């Protein structure tokens, strides 16, 4: 009951912080894929900030059903990729999106499916914006150090921010901005 898609419509502060992080590094023309986009709240804020090449991956059919009614202008421009990222990523070409964004989604990838992190890195063009809980071990979360994970996959970290005190986030949540080695993006 605490994880219903409609509950994510009003967490504006989280999305504004994420958009600020993305906007500091990405270019308006970048193609941005949000893994676990839910009802599209963050994608809508990205759209309002001038980013128009948006893709959203989401496993919840209920969340995807709410997106076009909650954000009709976003619904008209976003390309939706429904299904679990483990299946969706395998079907995407290398560097399909210039920017890949995750907000507290990869922490739910079980260690047995950690191979999907390689797929995330493969699909990312030049920039990863990874905002994940790196410490909480619960029945549905699997903490990892995403700097280490993605640096081992050819990226280098250019920014890190502890979000424990940020509105809408909690203890252990870290934002990491990582650039593909040799990339030529805005802040590469």
């Amino acid at each position: 009951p605490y994880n219903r898609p409609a509950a994510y419509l009003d967490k504006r502060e989280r999305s504004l912080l994420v958009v600020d992080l993305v906007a500091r590094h990405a270019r308006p023309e970048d193609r941005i894929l949000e893994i676990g986009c839910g009802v599209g709240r963050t994608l809508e804020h990205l759209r309002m900030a001038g980013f128009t090449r948006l893709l959203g991956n989401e496993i919840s059919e209920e969340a995807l059903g709410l997106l076009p009614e909650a954000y009709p202008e976003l619904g008209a421009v976003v390309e939706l990729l429904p299904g679990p990222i483990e299946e969706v990523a395998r079907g995407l070409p290398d560097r399909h999106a210039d920017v890949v964004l995750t907000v507290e989604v990869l922490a739910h990838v079980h260690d047995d499916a950690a191979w999907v992190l390689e797929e995330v890195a493969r699909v990312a063009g030049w920039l990863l914006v990874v905002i994940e809980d790196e410490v909480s071990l619960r029945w549905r979360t699997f903490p990892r150090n995403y700097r280490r994970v993605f640096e081992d996959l050819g990226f280098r970290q250019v920014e890190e921010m502890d979000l424990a005190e940020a509105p809408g986030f909690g203890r252990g949540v870290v934002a990491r901005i990582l650039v593909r080695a040799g990339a030529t993006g805005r802040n590469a």
Side-chain angles (χ1 to χ4, degrees), residues 12-80:
R12 184 172 186 263
E13 298 85 12
R14 280 175 56 115
S15 293
L16 293 175
L17 187 146
V18 173
V19 169
D20 180 61
L21 282 169
V22 172
R24 286 202 313 251
H25 296 277
R27 305 164 294 208
E29 68 272 14
D30 281 336
R31 189 173 184 173
I32 300 174
L33 165 62
E34 182 180 10
I35 297 172
C37 69
V39 295
R41 185 192 67 245
T42 298
L43 289 172
E44 171 64 1
H45 285 281
L46 285 166
R47 185 196 66 75
M48 291 187 307
F51 295 95
T52 57
R53 299 182 65 213
L54 303 171
L55 301 99
N57 160 251
E58 176 57 46
I59 193 171
S60 167
E61 292 178 20
E62 181 182 354
L64 291 176
L66 285 172
L67 187 148
E69 67 184 65
Y71 307 113
E73 292 179 45
L74 174 65
V77 299
V78 69
E79 179 184 339
L80 295 176

Side-chain angles (χ1 to χ4, degrees), residues 3 64 84 90 93 107 147:
N3 195 24
L64 291 176
R90 283 185 168 162
R147 177 181 188 160

Side-chain angles (χ1 to χ4, degrees), residues 159-171:
E159 184 176 354
E160 174 180 335
M161 182 184 298
D162 182 346
L163 299 180
E165 302 299 320
F169 293 97
R171 182 183 153 293

